[in-house]
Amino acid sequence: METGTSVSNNNQSIRNDSYEAIKNGSWFNQFRNGCNPWMARYVYGLIFLIANLLAWAARDYGRGALRKVTRFKNCKGGENCLGTDGVLRVSLGCFLFYFVMFLSTLGTSKTHSSRDRWHSGWWFVKLIMWPALTIIPFLLPSSIIHLYGEIAHFGAGVFLLIQLISVISFIQWLNECYQSQKDAERCRVYVMLLSTTSYTVCIVGVILMYIWYAPDSSCLLNIFFITWTLFLIQLMTSIALHPKVNAGYLTPALMGLYVVFICWCAIRSEPVGESCNRKAAASNRTDWLTIISFVVALLAMVIATFSTGIDSQCFQFKKDENDQEEEAEDDVPYGYGFFHFVFATGAMYFAMLLIGWNTHHPMKKWTIDVGWTSTWVRVVNEWLAVCVYIWMLVAPLILKSRRQTPTGT
């Protein structure tokens, strides 16, 4: 018995050492060593990218083929309906694939377990399962697809919420790294330089948005969006620099960049016919710049989904140093269930981008996330990001005061 236990422990140690070598190795080394969770996440990201391209192809170039399918002949709305239906059906297939993976890997905590092997391997089975789940939605009636389209609004909102929490958590983590005791003095110059640069870019961005998207006083809505964004930057900075919070300049500066970017995306999502959106009117025709912008936006969405999916730690309670040291060597490198859940909601999100968050909204070729619904989704996302950031700043003070109140009485 002791010999068998010793051999088992030795084999486990060898597997752990092998995983550690793969983890610390290069990107090429992770692929060369076959099935492992680090290689698997890139494969899942590639599958997600292909699903995005299929949805785009179904919207822009698949209407002729979809018109021949009997299930699409009753589609109300003509060409626009065919494109929207195609996007939602591809999205549903992608969602089903990642949701099945989410259910089958939820709670996986150790490497070399059966669910770890399922997540990191069995690619022959998945290469059959994924196309099958992509084809099944094309066999469903339009009523089910439209119901999925309504549910996808909620799922896409969940994805945006997860994404902004991940971004804010990264900003907070970066600030904590710079403020650590051993690096505080050395990084002070870098913090000031990065903060100053961020605030400068924010100001320049706001000025450019006034020039491009508020050319005259009649553009009241755009003026409100831009001015309110400037106010939110000032509000975040004031709260972060309050003596009781003392969060420094870095986090509000980076959050300022984030909200300026979201505001810019929101205004760019306004329909082309709007007189205040001169940049959109200038890019009304399909040229190489429009195509490049579309490809960059698509790749950015896939990368954002991938980076958010592997950041499951931002939704866990903070652990002290002793707990971190006690983490076993065979713990999974990232939350598999969370990873697939983010991709499942991301499938709903890319559908909303390609149809403009409106199942009855016509979308031109090589466009993404255009329409008044898209604009207001971005604006609300910006305001929600500021609320979450401010809550992260003041929550420790509120919880601390509540804990001290009973002892005082």
Side-chain angles (χ1 to χ4, degrees), residues 84-332:
T84 299
D85 259 30
V87 171
L88 291 176
R89 290 174 190 270
V90 174
S91 170
L92 177 57
C94 183
F95 167 79
L96 290 175
F97 173 76
Y98 286 107
F99 192 71
V100 169
M101 293 303 303
F102 162 71
L103 293 177
S104 58
T105 58
L106 182 64
T108 307
S109 59
K110 300 296 181 181
T111 56
H112 312 299
S113 63
S114 58
R115 285 187 293 178
D116 171 68
R117 288 191 292 270
W118 165 245
H119 169 79
S120 306
W122 292 84
W123 294 111
F124 179 76
V125 176
K126 293 171 187 174
L127 288 178
I128 297 176
M129 183 178 71
W130 171 46
L133 292 175
T134 303
I135 294 173
I136 287 175
F138 285 88
L139 305 177
L140 299 176
S142 296
S143 58
I144 296 179
I145 301 303
H146 293 160
L147 176 61
Y148 169 75
E150 298 301 325
I151 298 175
H153 286 85
F154 172 76
V158 172
F159 174 82
L160 286 175
L161 180 61
I162 295 174
Q163 186 183 55
L164 73 88
I165 292 177
S166 177
V167 170
I168 295 174
S169 297
F170 171 76
I171 293 174
Q172 297 277 33
W173 171 82
L174 185 65
N175 186 58
E176 290 175 0
C177 290
Y178 279 131
Q179 289 184 345
S180 60
Q181 294 294 331
K182 60 180 180 180
D183 296 329
E185 293 296 330
R186 182 171 58 88
C187 295
R188 183 172 299 174
V189 177
Y190 299 106
V191 170
M192 292 303 299
L193 180 62
L194 182 58
S195 302
T196 304
T197 303
S198 299
Y199 278 119
T200 302
V201 173
C202 288
I203 295 173
V204 173
V206 168
I207 293 174
L208 290 177
M209 283 193 292
Y210 274 122
I211 296 174
W212 290 340
Y213 304 117
D216 53 63
S217 57
S218 63
C219 303
L220 295 178
L221 187 60
N222 287 354
I223 292 175
F224 167 72
F225 287 158
I226 301 170
T227 306
W228 188 253
T229 298
L230 192 61
F231 168 76
L232 292 178
I233 296 174
Q234 178 62 41
L235 178 64
M236 291 187 296
T237 303
S238 301
I239 295 177
L241 296 180
H242 192 277
K244 292 185 178 181
V245 177
N246 195 23
Y249 288 96
L250 184 59
T251 57
L254 295 178
M255 278 300 300
L257 280 178
Y258 185 55
V259 299
V260 167
F261 172 74
I262 297 178
C263 180
W264 174 73
C265 292
I267 298 178
R268 274 184 59 89
S269 296
E270 293 176 358
V272 175
E274 298 300 316
S275 60
C276 296
N277 196 345
R278 293 181 175 178
K279 299 293 288 185
S283 60
N284 190 19
R285 66 184 187 277
T286 302
D287 54 10
W288 64 270
L289 185 60
T290 304
I291 296 175
I292 291 177
S293 300
F294 174 83
V295 173
V296 170
L298 192 66
L299 291 176
M301 199 274 293
V302 174
I303 294 172
T305 306
F306 177 85
S307 59
T308 304
I310 60 178
D311 189 24
S312 58
Q313 293 182 353
C314 68
F315 291 87
Q316 298 175 355
F317 293 104
K318 291 185 177 180
K319 301 178 180 180
D320 54 32
E321 296 180 357
N322 295 330
D323 292 337
Q324 292 178 352
E325 291 176 356
E326 292 176 359
E327 290 182 354
E329 294 180 356
D330 59 346
D331 285 348
V332 294

Side-chain angles (χ1 to χ4, degrees), residues 387-403:
C387 292
V388 172
Y389 172 72
I390 293 176
W391 171 251
M392 285 185 172
L393 292 179
V394 302
L397 299 177
I398 296 176
L399 295 176
K400 183 179 179 180
S401 63
R402 288 183 177 179
R403 290 170 184 170

